[in-house]
Amino acid sequence: MKKILSLLLVLFMLLPAFALAETAPVIKIGQSLGTPNDARAFAVITVVLQDDVIIAAYIDEFQFQNAADYVGVPGSDADLGKNFVEGKVLASKRVNNEPYSAMMTAYAGSTVSIADNYDAIQAFVVGKTVADLEALPTSGENVVDAISGATLVAAPGYLQGIIDAAKAAK
C-alpha cells in the first residue's frame, strides 16, 4: 500500500511538469552571413525567436581597416592575420564604434553612430515575425523612415539579413 501511495504521490507531483512541457514556447536561434551594405564588409546577424516571433537580434559587421586606428578581431596579430595586407586588420564595426562612426560622419555627414544604428534596427524587429518584416517596403527611404533612430541607407539589407537568420533558426 505504501508503494502505491508513494507512486501516486510522485505522479501527482509530475503532472504539472507534463502540462508545462506541452505549452512551453519554442525558442530557436539563427544566424546569417551576408553583405547588407556593400561587398567591402560582411555582417554576422543573429536572431532569437520564441515560436515565430523575434525576441532578440544582434548585428555586427566586419571590414578591413587601418591597423593603426582600429582594433582587430582576435587572432589578427597572430596566425589569422598572417595573410592580411600589411597595416590592415579585420575589424568589428561594433568594437570600433568610435573610429568607424567618425569615418561615417566625415564621409556622409552621419549623426548617428554605427552601433546606435544597429541597436535601432535590432529594437525595431523585436516583437515582429518574418512575415511582418517581409511586408515592409523594400526601398531604402521608406524602411529607414519606419525604423525610429536608424539612419542607415542600407537598412533594407540589414533587415534582409535578419529575415535570413530567422528563417535559418533551429
Side-chain angles (χ1 to χ4, degrees):
M1 186 69 170
K2 274 180 138 178
K3 287 183 180 181
I4 292 174
L5 285 175
S6 296
L7 181 59
L8 286 173
L9 181 61
V10 168
L11 287 174
F12 281 119
M13 289 173 37
L14 291 176
L15 278 176
F18 288 118
L20 286 176
E22 288 183 38
T23 61
V26 176
I27 304 293
K28 299 183 287 187
I29 188 168
Q31 199 165 59
S32 69
L33 295 172
T35 54
N37 187 17
D38 63 37
R40 292 176 291 179
F42 70 93
V44 178
I45 299 175
T46 307
V47 172
V48 179
L49 296 135
Q50 181 176 332
D51 298 317
D52 293 331
V53 177
I54 296 169
I55 59 171
Y58 188 79
I59 301 168
D60 198 358
E61 232 174 336
F62 300 85
Q63 185 172 357
F64 284 101
Q65 298 290 350
N66 292 324
D69 303 319
Y70 289 81
V71 175
V73 298
S76 290
D77 59 350
D79 287 345
L80 177 64
K82 284 183 180 177
N83 293 315
F84 293 173
V85 171
E86 184 75 28
K88 297 287 186 179
V89 291
L90 181 60
S92 156
K93 291 182 182 180
R94 271 195 181 274
V95 169
N96 293 280
N97 182 50
E98 192 172 307
Y100 192 83
S101 297
M103 183 178 66
M104 286 174 39
T105 299
Y107 286 119
S110 177
T111 58
V112 179
S113 76
I114 191 68
D116 287 345
N117 271 289
Y118 292 157
D119 291 346
I121 295 168
Q122 293 165 187
F124 174 75
V125 302
V126 170
K128 292 180 177 53
T129 65
V130 168
D132 294 336
L133 297 179
E134 289 178 328
L136 290 172
T138 56
S139 65
E141 201 59 40
N142 292 330
V143 172
V144 172
D145 288 345
I147 303 170
S148 178
T151 60
L152 294 174
V153 174
Y158 295 105
L159 289 175
Q160 185 59 54
I162 288 169
I163 291 167
D164 294 345
K167 286 181 175 181
K170 298 188 181 333

